[in-house]
Amino acid sequence: MGEEVKVFGFWSSPYTLRAVLALRLKGVPYEYVEENVLGNKSPLLLKYNPIHKKVPVLLHNGKPIVESLVILEYIDEIWKSKPILPKHPYDKAMARFWAKFFDDKCMPAVWKPFWCPEDEREKAVEEACQCLKTLETALNGKRFFGGEEIGLVDIAANFVGFFLRTMQEVTGLELLSAEKFPHLFKWTDEFVNHSVVKENLPPRDKQLEFNRVIIAKYEAGEIKA
């Protein structure tokens, strides 16, 4: 009997995409379970992630693993082929640092300008661009953050790699461009055109429409950012 591997996720979640990409890159078969995170969450999601009640959840032989960065490290430990973390301890530590930096600093900063009040937008854009500049420096002209192959940091930063540009297209607010951040912008093209990534991204038209719907609901006061 084979291993039981399930991913509980949401199709438009960059955090779910992290788990999906790691498994796909390693060629690990799994069952995907779509969750209605904007409505009633399933009993299984609440059972497997009772503390945060969020996606993604990786279920491996009946044991749940939560939090997307934790899931990525677990996947890399269990399935050794095509590692997403470097072998050298220092390089591994740096990859973990940049992944955490993205979650703690970049993601909130890059997300905020699309949702904050107008009188706070200029400062929010400045802070977002500072984070993108830091990522540009970390990339240092390489194809991917870890070199020639997609690794932990690329997977962690998939929001910038794909979702950010769809938000820019819908809102008209430009944070990332080839003129402002040429290396990071080129990385986004490399990332979305990688064969495994390309096959597993949300359909672009569907994502754009979802963005419009979410923005409309936010403006109507139906949801919070």
Side-chain angles (χ1 to χ4, degrees), residues 44-221:
L44 283 178
L45 177 62
L46 300 179
K47 173 185 175 182
Y48 292 133
N49 192 358
I51 296 175
H52 298 299
K53 303 178 177 64
K54 294 180 179 180
V55 295
V57 174
L58 175 70
L59 191 68
H60 184 212
N61 293 333
K63 296 179 180 179
I65 301 94
V66 301
E67 294 297 296
S68 59
L69 291 183
V70 175
I71 289 171
L72 290 181
E73 294 226 25
Y74 181 86
I75 289 171
D76 212 38
E77 284 285 335
I78 296 296
W79 295 282
K80 302 293 187 182
S81 66
K82 298 181 181 178
I84 59 174
L85 274 163
K87 289 184 178 180
H88 193 281
Y90 177 79
D91 295 334
K92 188 176 292 186
M94 288 299 96
R96 286 169 172 153
F97 169 83
W98 287 114
K100 192 171 189 305
F101 170 81
F102 185 83
D103 271 11
D104 292 349
K105 300 292 185 181
C106 280
M107 187 66 176
V110 173
W111 188 241
K112 185 177 179 180
F114 298 105
W115 308 100
C116 67
E118 186 66 35
D119 61 352
E120 298 177 13
R121 186 154 294 133
E122 183 178 351
K123 182 180 179 182
V125 168
E126 182 181 337
E127 291 174 353
C129 287
Q130 185 59 50
C131 280
L132 294 175
K133 182 179 179 180
T134 302
L135 287 179
E136 171 111 334
T137 302
L139 188 60
N140 195 28
K142 300 189 293 292
R143 183 184 181 196
F144 297 112
F145 282 92
E148 287 301 306
E149 300 294 335
I150 282 182
L152 178 76
V153 183
D154 305 282
I155 296 171
N158 75 71
F159 178 82
V160 170
F162 172 72
F163 295 94
L164 174 58
R165 287 170 69 175
T166 70
M167 284 295 291
Q168 293 186 162
E169 186 172 336
V170 168
T171 63
L173 177 62
E174 185 180 79
L175 301 177
L176 174 65
S177 68
E179 291 73 28
K180 292 178 183 176
F181 306 106
H183 297 301
L184 191 60
F185 193 87
K186 184 180 179 182
W187 167 79
T188 67
D189 285 337
E190 291 278 3
F191 180 75
V192 299
N193 286 299
H194 184 283
S195 59
V196 174
V197 176
K198 194 172 185 178
E199 291 172 2
N200 292 282
L201 288 174
R204 184 173 180 80
D205 289 345
K206 184 180 179 182
Q207 183 63 51
L208 290 171
E209 181 58 28
F210 179 73
N211 291 351
R212 294 185 186 100
V213 170
I214 291 299
I215 290 169
K217 286 180 178 291
Y218 172 73
E219 291 175 346

